[in-house]
């Protein structure tokens, strides 16, 4: 034993067990390695936190039977810290409460009481729930009855809020959003909802979907913030909007958008499922991004109080995974127009676009692409992202070819030559192709151009890039045998025009010079 005195206590080899279940008196620990086993056997305390948590998990699953137990890790951690000798009991509540949206019941059980809700195989809430007690007894009826009595008022509150909220339509709550401040430089939530509605309508038009539904959905999307249920449980915003919109008889796309426009809420979250939801979700995130950035509250370092990084990732995921042919420049311009006349707002589209591309690079790295592959595509500042994955896959396939390194190096060289040239590239004059190597390169380009154009038109970016591999020998011979900066100005300009055409053909899918090491 180490002689230590702390807080009036002297270190020793005795401890005490569970307050009610211990065998009584001090428990002597003969050796440090025996501590956990002795405390469990004699003191009814599972000392190891991980073991205690897993024992709770196993007991919950066993008691759930064929039902599914909802056990978020955060709730498991909290309950694990509240008990020393966990025992799981089954409780019930009245069937009438199942008329309330189950998200409300689940949340109140988890948040207020630390209970574990049960659903059937189809995800429908059951009227029984599980509790984790710190008491093991042969007759647990008092424990079960007590917890059921405690749960009942909470569930009654949820039922009352739900019934009261339905007495007033969401549309009637919209004007009251004027009383809710969004940001002192950007106005109130009603003004924000109107901006989102305008932007959602323009996005819906770009997507060739119902403009009226998108504008209606956006206008109602924030109305549930004024309901009693969301006031009690802010986590239910959007979810309750969908329930109330359906109760009000709103079209299903409008109702669904009330919850889906918040998606994706976090990394890996599901995306909106309907065109209306997508339009509102994009509008919501774009309005926040452009508005907050425009009043000087862009992310700095590790600070991002308005979660603009998360909003951008949500926008990118929708554009990429839903294959939306929406130009970034147009989306940002339309969002910026919403704030016209606001003296506190400054147009930051150029900075925002750079921020978007930076987040795009990070997103693509997480998907397994290399920095060079990503740069080959993103360095071109693509305005639409619906086919960016196909472009990246094409670059990856091209990089695996034996000809890729030589062509990438040549492309980089061409880029540098053209940058230094102050002459505007014209068209290639056949009569000025004097050297055999430049004639051979031009002939090879003429031969492969139709194949490249056809592959590109069909969206076969991999085929387009692989076709370029046939140019390797001609390109290498050109740089070995031809002096680009000839003294004869006509020859020089003709060779620059040839390289300019080659550069455009090679970089049509991606800037393959970025693959050069």
């Amino acid at each position: 034993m180490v002689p230590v005195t702390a807080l009036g206590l002297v270190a020793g080899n005795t401890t005490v067990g569970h307050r009610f279940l211990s065998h009584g008196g001090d428990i002597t620990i003969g050796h440090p390695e025996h501590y956990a086993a002795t405390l469990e056997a004699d003191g009814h305390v599972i000392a190891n936190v991980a073991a205690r948590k897993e024992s709770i998990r196993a007991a919950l699953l066993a008691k759930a039977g064929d039902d599914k137990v909802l056990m978020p890790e955060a709730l498991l951690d909290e309950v694990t810290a509240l008990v020393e000798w966990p025992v799981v009991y089954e409780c019930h509540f009245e069937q009438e409460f199942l008329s309330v949206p189950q998200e409300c019941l689940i949340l109140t059980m988890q948040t207020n009481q630390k209970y574990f809700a049960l659903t059937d195989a189809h995800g429908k809430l059951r009227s029984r729930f599980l509790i984790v007690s710190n008491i093991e007894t042969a007759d647990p009826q008092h424990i079960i009855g007590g917890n059921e009595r405690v749960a009942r008022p909470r569930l009654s509150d949820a039922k009352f809020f739900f019934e009261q909220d339905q007495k007033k339509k969401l549309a009637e709550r919209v004007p009251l959003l004027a009383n809710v401040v969004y940001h002192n430089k950007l106005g109130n939530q009603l003004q924000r909802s109107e901006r989102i509605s305008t932007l959602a309508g323009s996005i819906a038009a770009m997507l060739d979907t119902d403009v009226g539904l998108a504008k209606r959905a956006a206008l109602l999307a924030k109305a549930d913030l004024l309901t009693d249920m969301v006031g009690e449980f802010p986590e239910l915003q959007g979810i309750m909007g969908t329930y109330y919109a359906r109760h009000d008889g709103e079209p299903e796309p409008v109702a669904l958008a009330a919850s889906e426009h918040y998606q994706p809420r976090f990394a890996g979250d599901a995306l909106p499922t309907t065109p209306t939801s997508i339009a509102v979700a994009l509008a919501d995130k774009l309005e926040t991004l452009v508005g907050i950035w425009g009043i000087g509250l862009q992310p700095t370092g590790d600070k991002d109080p308005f979660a603009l990084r998360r909003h951008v990732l949500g926008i990118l995921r929708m554009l990429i995974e839903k294959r939306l042919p929406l130009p970034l420049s147009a989306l940002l311009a339309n969002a910026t127009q919403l704030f016209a006349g606001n003296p506190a707002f400054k147009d930051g589209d150029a900075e925002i676009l750079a921020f978007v591309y930076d987040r795009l690079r990070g997103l693509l790295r997480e998907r397994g692409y290399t920095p060079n592959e990503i740069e080959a595509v993103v360095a071109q500042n693509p305005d639409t992202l619906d086919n960016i994955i196909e472009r990246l896959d094409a670059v990856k396939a091209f990089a695996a070819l034996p000809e890729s390194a030589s062509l990438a190096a040549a492309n980089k060289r061409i880029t540098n030559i053209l940058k230094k040239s102050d002459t505007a590239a014209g068209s290639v004059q056949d009569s000025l192709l004097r050297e055999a190597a430049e004639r051979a390169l031009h002939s090879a380009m003429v031969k492969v151009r139709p194949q490249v154009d056809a592959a590109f038109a069909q969206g076969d970016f991999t085929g387009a890039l692989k076709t370029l591999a046939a140019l390797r020998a001609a390109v290498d011979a050109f740089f070995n045998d031809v002096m680009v900066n000839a003294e004869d100005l006509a020859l020089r300009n003709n060779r620059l025009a040839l390289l300019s055409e080659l550069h455009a053909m090679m970089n049509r899918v991606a800037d393959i010079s970025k693959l050069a090491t």
Side-chain angles (χ1 to χ4, degrees):
M1 289 181 291
V2 179
V4 174
T5 301
L7 301 176
L9 300 174
V10 179
N13 65 343
T14 62
T15 186
V16 293
H18 192 287
R19 180 172 297 184
F20 304 112
L21 302 178
S22 176
H23 293 168
D26 290 342
I27 299 172
T28 301
I29 308 299
H31 189 279
E33 291 183 358
H34 303 155
Y35 173 76
T38 302
L39 196 58
E40 184 171 345
D42 297 340
H44 277 69
V45 172
I46 302 177
N48 185 287
V49 174
R52 194 188 316 155
K53 180 178 178 180
E54 291 312 309
S55 74
I56 294 173
R57 192 194 306 273
L60 288 169
L61 291 172
K63 189 69 81 170
D66 293 335
D67 288 335
K68 179 183 178 181
V69 56
L70 305 183
M71 44 182 175
E73 289 300 312
L75 179 58
L76 270 176
D77 288 338
E78 188 172 3
V79 171
T80 299
L82 290 173
V83 297
E84 296 175 310
W85 190 258
V87 183
V88 174
Y89 297 118
E90 178 181 325
C91 301
H92 296 81
F93 59 79
E94 289 78 1
Q95 288 282 333
E96 65 183 81
F97 291 121
L98 292 177
S99 63
V100 180
Q102 65 182 48
E103 293 90 344
C104 308
L105 305 181
I106 292 169
L107 191 59
T108 190
M109 283 192 283
Q110 291 178 345
T111 303
N112 295 319
Q113 307 304 140
K114 317 307 174 190
Y115 296 157
F116 293 86
L118 296 170
T119 65
D120 63 18
H122 303 290
K124 185 176 180 181
L125 186 66
R126 305 274 282 173
S127 62
R128 67 188 189 108
F129 59 94
L130 303 179
I131 65 169
V132 180
S133 174
N134 199 35
I135 297 291
E136 183 177 26
T137 175
D139 182 12
Q141 288 309 309
H142 288 295
I143 297 173
I144 294 171
N147 280 277
E148 289 176 345
R149 284 194 300 274
V150 170
R152 194 170 295 116
R154 293 292 187 178
L155 301 181
S156 296
D157 286 346
K159 187 171 184 290
F160 174 77
F161 292 148
F162 181 60
E163 292 172 348
Q164 288 298 113
D165 285 342
Q166 291 180 103
K167 294 179 180 179
K168 190 172 188 177
K169 291 187 175 183
L170 285 179
E172 297 172 10
R173 299 179 188 272
V174 170
L176 301 178
L177 288 171
N179 300 323
V180 182
V181 175
Y182 171 51
H183 190 283
N184 61 351
K185 292 183 179 180
L186 297 174
N188 54 54
Q189 283 286 3
L190 176 59
Q191 293 169 317
R192 181 173 183 239
S193 294
E194 291 170 342
R195 289 194 296 265
I196 295 173
S197 179
T198 299
L199 186 54
S202 69
I203 293 172
M206 295 166 72
L207 293 174
D208 197 25
T209 190
D210 194 305
V211 172
L213 283 178
K215 296 183 73 171
R216 176 71 173 177
L219 195 62
L220 297 180
K222 306 298 182 184
D224 70 343
L225 295 175
L226 298 174
T227 62
D228 291 340
M229 187 70 82
V230 175
E232 180 72 13
F233 298 112
E235 302 93 330
L236 294 176
Q237 63 182 15
I239 294 172
M240 298 313 303
T242 292
Y243 279 106
Y244 296 145
R246 285 172 177 158
H247 177 266
D248 294 347
E250 296 289 345
E252 181 60 16
V254 171
L256 202 56
S259 54
E260 288 195 344
H261 84 281
Y262 288 107
Q263 295 173 328
R265 296 177 177 85
F266 50 84
D269 190 21
L271 297 180
T273 59
T274 71
T276 297
S277 293
I278 290 169
V280 181
L282 283 171
D284 180 54
K285 291 167 177 57
L286 285 163
E287 191 276 345
T288 302
L289 172 64
V290 171
I292 295 299
W293 195 291
I295 58 173
L297 297 176
Q298 55 267 38
T300 56
D302 60 347
K303 294 182 179 179
D304 187 11
F306 291 91
L308 299 190
R309 292 185 179 94
R310 177 167 57 81
H311 285 306
V312 169
L313 288 175
I315 293 168
L316 291 172
R317 281 193 59 202
M318 282 186 277
L319 293 177
I320 294 171
E321 296 176 31
K322 294 293 184 179
R323 301 179 65 85
L324 305 178
L326 300 176
L328 285 168
S329 57
L331 291 175
L332 292 175
N334 289 344
T336 298
Q337 186 60 35
L338 299 171
F339 300 95
N342 185 332
F345 178 84
K346 293 183 179 179
D347 184 346
D349 282 8
E351 294 176 355
I352 294 174
L353 197 56
F355 180 70
V356 169
Y357 286 133
D358 187 55
R359 302 309 298 168
L360 176 60
R361 290 180 175 92
L363 177 64
L364 296 174
R365 281 195 299 270
E366 291 175 2
R367 299 193 177 194
Y369 296 101
T370 68
N372 284 358
E373 291 165 354
I374 294 168
E375 208 56 33
V377 176
V378 179
Q380 292 186 317
N381 296 332
D383 203 24
T384 57
L385 305 178
D386 53 323
N387 57 21
I388 194 168
I389 298 301
E390 286 82 359
R391 289 175 182 264
L392 281 161
D393 289 340
V395 170
K396 183 185 285 289
F398 175 77
L401 298 176
E403 300 89 351
S404 65
S406 177
L407 287 172
N411 197 344
K412 188 173 184 179
R413 186 174 179 181
I414 294 170
T415 300
N416 292 332
I417 291 172
L418 294 177
K419 279 182 180 178
K420 294 176 182 177
S421 172
D422 55 3
T423 304
S427 58
V428 177
Q429 306 276 336
D430 289 359
S431 60
L432 293 175
L433 296 172
R434 303 288 173 81
E435 302 287 344
E438 61 184 329
R439 289 197 300 272
L441 176 58
H442 184 255
S443 177
M445 289 168 56
V446 170
K447 183 178 180 180
V448 303
R449 181 178 286 114
Q451 301 173 46
V452 173
D453 290 345
F456 189 88
Q458 294 171 7
D460 181 11
F461 302 127
T462 301
L465 280 181
K466 284 187 173 181
T467 301
L468 295 174
L471 298 176
R472 176 188 173 179
V475 171
D476 287 347
F478 177 87
F479 281 114
N480 285 333
D481 301 343
V482 178
M483 173 74 71
V484 176
N485 290 321
E487 291 186 10
D488 187 318
L489 184 60
L491 287 179
R492 182 194 312 166
N493 288 341
N494 200 55
R495 288 166 182 169
L496 288 171
L498 180 64
L499 291 180
S500 180
E501 286 188 13
L502 176 61
H503 189 262
M505 186 189 303
M506 295 175 79
N507 292 344
R508 193 169 181 185
V509 173
D511 183 356
I512 63 173
S513 70
K514 300 299 181 182
L515 298 176
T517 55

